[in-house]
Amino acid sequence: MFRRNKLFFWTTEILLITLIFYLWREMGAIITPFVSVLNTIMIPFLLGGFLYYITNPIVIFLEKKCKINRIIGILLTLCALIGTIVIGVVYLLPILINQLSSLINSSQDIYSRLQDLVLELSKHPAFQNIDVQQTVQQLNLSYVDILQNILNSVTNSVGSILSALVSTVLIIIMTPVFLIYFLLDGHKFLPMLERTVLKRDKLHISGLLTNLNTTIARYISGVSIDAVIIGCLAFIGYSVIGLKYALVFAIFSGLANLIPYVGPSIGLIPMIISNLFTDPHKMIIAVIYMLIIQQVDGNILYPRIVGGVMKVHPITILVLLLLSSNIYGVVGMIVAVPTYSILKEISKFLARLYENHKEAKEEKHLSE
């Protein structure tokens, strides 16, 4: 009944997800101190794991196909990774900072254009009964108040800034350490478990761990490659169209593409807002171009690169994104779907164990 009735299945699944997030939020005051301690360790750990799943295929390729010693392969891979970062910092970072600065300065023009648009609309008969001038003045005050609040919060939270700076330094130092250890010993973890803890693995837990590792590796490497492709295509398209701040918008599109289902749409928002009043013609062309790219990505690139490893219903994805964004923000939106898929695989594994145990018990009872 549970498996055949899809409506009942998805309703129950969504309700369980909502209940878990609700309980997590209600227990926030209790677990917050533990979470703050774990975040200091978990963030570089997760970043190191993320980079491990991206770089490990390269190390395996050098080891198996090119017959290069694993340690030398790791050194070559790390040198390539560091070289890529250095090139990005030296060549792309100045351009990115320059474009961001220009974008921030031009945001004031966007706001003034919005005011002019509102004043033009006020002349329409449908808006005659609305005091648009007063509304615009209130908006202007709100805009100034927002900027003042931001400045006050920055100046009044020097301790928080120092704490964030220390945390950032620790993350920068610890992430490469975790990555090196993962590359050196990550492939030894499962064989070590099979020799020790899982020596008599009657439940086939090693198969589950292998499946989960493959799923995570394929998902992380797949979505990363897909995000880079989308970012590059966006940059090429925006540059050809002649949009300002093409690099900023392209990087944002690539990063937003890491968010399942809604990420591509989110990636268009800054570009649309920045060009809606300044150059709407180019903005429309860019939107059409990115919609075509998204169709190609959704129907050709993403299925081939990532495959069907994340078999999650779209409604479940939306609920996960809404709840995780409310608790952990953008990071929560990125990790929600793969985390849910992992927990789902573990739950299915436990359910199969229970069913096998139940069937074995019934067979034993019948034989007696």
Side-chain angles (χ1 to χ4, degrees), residues 101-229:
S101 301
S102 301
L103 181 59
I104 292 170
N105 292 330
S106 65
S107 64
Q108 298 176 359
D109 298 331
I110 295 172
Y111 183 75
S112 62
R113 286 175 179 270
L114 180 60
Q115 287 182 322
D116 294 338
L117 177 63
V118 173
L119 291 175
E120 287 292 329
L121 289 175
S122 66
K123 300 176 182 178
H124 194 275
F127 299 96
Q128 290 295 325
N129 296 326
I130 301 176
D131 192 352
V132 179
Q133 188 67 36
Q134 184 179 357
T135 304
V136 170
Q137 290 176 356
Q138 291 176 351
L139 285 173
N140 189 35
L141 288 174
S142 300
Y143 182 74
V144 174
D145 289 340
I146 290 170
L147 291 177
Q148 288 178 348
N149 289 331
I150 292 173
L151 290 174
N152 291 333
S153 62
V154 170
T155 55
N156 294 331
S157 57
V158 178
S160 301
I161 295 174
L162 290 176
S163 177
L165 183 61
V166 172
S167 299
T168 303
V169 172
L170 287 175
I171 290 171
I172 293 173
I173 294 173
M174 293 303 298
T175 299
V177 175
F178 279 118
L179 174 60
I180 292 171
Y181 276 108
F182 288 156
L183 289 173
L184 287 173
D185 300 325
H187 65 291
K188 301 176 184 177
F189 181 69
L190 185 58
M192 182 270 293
L193 288 179
E194 292 175 343
R195 291 194 305 268
T196 55
V197 180
L198 302 177
K199 191 173 184 179
R200 298 178 180 179
D201 186 17
K202 297 180 180 180
L203 303 177
H204 303 290
I205 297 176
S206 61
L208 171 66
L209 295 176
T210 303
N211 183 37
L212 290 178
N213 182 63
T214 304
T215 300
I216 296 171
R218 188 173 180 182
Y219 178 77
I220 291 178
S221 59
V223 296
S224 301
I225 294 170
D226 187 65
V228 171
I229 292 173

Side-chain angles (χ1 to χ4, degrees), residues 96-116 143 147 243-246 248-249 269-279:
L96 183 62
I97 292 174
N98 184 37
Q99 291 192 5
L100 278 174
S101 301
S102 301
L103 181 59
I104 292 170
N105 292 330
S106 65
S107 64
Q108 298 176 359
D109 298 331
I110 295 172
Y111 183 75
S112 62
R113 286 175 179 270
L114 180 60
Q115 287 182 322
D116 294 338
Y143 182 74
L147 291 177
L243 287 180
K244 294 180 179 179
Y245 326 118
V248 176
F249 297 145
I269 294 174
M271 185 273 295
I272 293 174
I273 293 175
S274 299
N275 295 278
L276 182 61
F277 302 105
T278 57
D279 202 340

Side-chain angles (χ1 to χ4, degrees), residues 47-97:
L47 287 174
F50 181 82
L51 293 173
Y52 164 75
Y53 282 112
I54 293 175
T55 55
N56 190 51
I58 302 174
V59 175
I60 293 174
F61 175 80
L62 293 175
E63 183 181 15
K64 294 185 176 180
K65 300 294 183 179
C66 301
K67 305 300 180 182
I68 298 175
N69 183 271
R70 184 174 181 87
I71 296 177
I72 297 176
I74 291 172
L75 291 175
L76 292 174
T77 304
L78 290 176
C79 289
L81 179 63
I82 294 171
T84 303
I85 294 173
V86 170
I87 291 173
V89 170
V90 172
Y91 291 100
L92 296 182
L93 189 60
I95 300 173
L96 183 62
I97 292 174

